[in-house]
């Protein structure tokens, strides 16, 4: 296959897209990645044919505080900008990130089949779940089911508004208002982070996390024999702020060794029991005893794949939902608000209770129960 993979520049979406391109290439297919300028050089350096996804820069009329407008109206514009480049790429299939819906619209406009990539659990509404983002487990009994029904009704207006915005965006680029949806959905998570639902879409396939490291460098771990605490501040703009500073303050004198994995510039001064910078997270997770993170899907899934429990400091977006799923599974402790003392207490609690590590290892084992994303895509064309 010749496959176009379309994703925005946010690391939580660009990195899975790059990882998927590697899977396609390893299977003998020809992937072409369209993404933001931030990762073009890095992806090209590891052998991915990477091209600029045009239309990502907000226009004066864009309202990024309106999620529906941000996703759907921008998607229509991106699809128009992408159209000639996608046509010239002469692909058989398009894989479009769920937040970069312009890829799917452009494919539909060209008559090319397309697949949606969700680099996290399935977040579609369900008649058997409370609204995604609440962090709540499905209600049980009459009262629990009534609670979920009322909550779904309360969010129904926003969902309807989003569908209306998507319909208007589609009509604006010459497509029918009714969205037929993708031919398949790639749900790039582990089963341990999914929630059973009575209306699982037949076209949705859990394929396991798509993981890519933006560096080949290994970050040194401080010398000693104390437990290793890995801190990974969120890369999302909605992530909790000051995570590293609060963790350092709280764990001062505790005897742990701390290593912070970060894309941004690390602090100029650190105590001798801590290091920070850009380094391969898989290498760090091979040595870590616990991870402190915002519980964004990328790092959370990566930690659980390595069987490492988590202290979750969720920010906005889907981080509260994911933190609660991991906590219910037994592999995470949630800290809110993230004071230095609360973070330290949570870290020491996880280090002192093997049940958290056992739950993380159980979550890791669930990754064996996933489908091959390349085969799912090939099936679309058969």
């Amino acid at each position: 296959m010749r496959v176009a993979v379309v994703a925005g520049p946010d690391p939580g979406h660009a990195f899975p897209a790059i990882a998927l391109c590697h899977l396609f290439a390893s299977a003998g297919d020809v992937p072409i990645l369209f993404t933001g300028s931030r990762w073009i050089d890095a992806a090209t350096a590891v052998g991915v044919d990477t091209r600029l996804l045009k239309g990502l820069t907000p226009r004066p009329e864009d309202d990024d505080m309106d999620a529906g407008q941000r996703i759907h109206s921008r998607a229509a514009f991106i699809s128009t900008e992408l159209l000639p480049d996608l046509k010239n790429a002469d692909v058989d299939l398009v894989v479009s990130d769920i937040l970069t819906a312009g890829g799917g619209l452009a494919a539909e406009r060209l008559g090319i089949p397309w697949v949606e990539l969700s680099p996290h659990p399935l977040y579609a509404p369900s008649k058997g779940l409370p609204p995604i983002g609440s962090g709540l487990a499905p209600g049980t009994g009459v009262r629990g089911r009534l609670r979920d029904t009322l909550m779904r009704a309360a969010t129904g207006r926003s969902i309807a508004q989003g569908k209306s915005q998507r319909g208007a965006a589609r009509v604006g680029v010459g497509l029918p208002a009714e969205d037929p949806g993708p031919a398949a959905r790639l749900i790039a998570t582990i089963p341990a982070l999914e929630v059973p639902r009575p209306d699982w879409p037949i076209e949705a396939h859990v394929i396991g996390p798509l993981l890519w490291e933006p560096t080949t460098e290994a970050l040194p771990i401080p010398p000693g024999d104390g437990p290793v605490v890995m801190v990974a501040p969120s890369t999302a703009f909605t992530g909790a702020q000051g995570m590293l500073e609060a963790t350092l303050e709280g764990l001062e004198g505790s005897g742990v060794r701390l290593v912070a994995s970060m894309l941004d510039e690390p602090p100029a001064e650190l105590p001798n029991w801590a290091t920070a910078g850009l380094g391969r997270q898989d290498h760090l997770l091979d040595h870590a005893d616990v991870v402190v993170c915002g519980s964004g899907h990328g790092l959370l899934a990566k930690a659980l794949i390595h069987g490492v429990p988590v202290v979750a400091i969720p920010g906005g977006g889907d981080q509260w939902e994911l933190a609660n799923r991991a906590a219910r599974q037994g592999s995470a402790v949630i800290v809110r608000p993230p004071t230095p003392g609360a973070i330290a207490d949570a870290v020491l609690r996880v280090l002192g209770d093997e049940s958290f590590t056992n739950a993380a290892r159980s979550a890791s084992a669930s990754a064996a129960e996933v489908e091959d994303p390349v085969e799912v895509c090939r099936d679309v064309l058969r």
Side-chain angles (χ1 to χ4, degrees), residues 14-42:
F15 289 6
I18 296 171
L20 183 60
C21 286
H22 279 303
L23 291 180
F24 281 127
S26 296
D29 299 314
V30 181
I32 301 168
L33 175 64
F34 290 92
T35 189
S37 59
R38 182 180 182 185
W39 303 112
I40 288 180
D41 290 345

Side-chain angles (χ1 to χ4, degrees), residues 243-265:
M243 182 186 303
L244 174 57
E245 293 77 7
T247 304
L248 285 167
E249 182 180 341
L251 291 174
E252 178 71 40
S254 66
V256 305
R257 294 176 289 160
L258 185 146
V259 57
S261 167
M262 50 200 309
L263 293 173
D264 297 329
E265 189 71 20

Side-chain angles (χ1 to χ4, degrees), residues 216-279:
T216 59
E217 299 297 319
L219 192 63
I221 296 171
D225 55 6
V228 176
V229 178
M230 175 179 168
V231 180
S234 176
T235 60
F237 74 92
T238 56
Q241 301 300 308
M243 182 186 303
L244 174 57
E245 293 77 7
T247 304
L248 285 167
E249 182 180 341
L251 291 174
E252 178 71 40
S254 66
V256 305
R257 294 176 289 160
L258 185 146
V259 57
S261 167
M262 50 200 309
L263 293 173
D264 297 329
E265 189 71 20
E269 296 184 7
L270 290 169
N272 60 11
W273 50 276
T275 58
L278 178 60

Side-chain angles (χ1 to χ4, degrees), residues 141-160:
V142 174
R143 295 181 65 179
R145 290 192 293 272
L146 177 61
R147 178 206 68 184
D148 291 353
T149 299
L150 293 174
M151 291 183 68
R152 288 194 296 269
T155 58
R157 181 177 178 182
S158 294
I159 293 172

Side-chain angles (χ1 to χ4, degrees), residues 108-141:
E108 192 177 345
R109 292 171 69 178
L110 290 174
I112 301 172
W114 71 283
V115 170
E116 184 178 80
L117 172 61
S118 296
H120 48 59
L122 177 65
Y123 289 158
S126 169
K127 65 182 181 182
L129 301 179
I132 301 298
S134 68
L136 295 171
T140 58

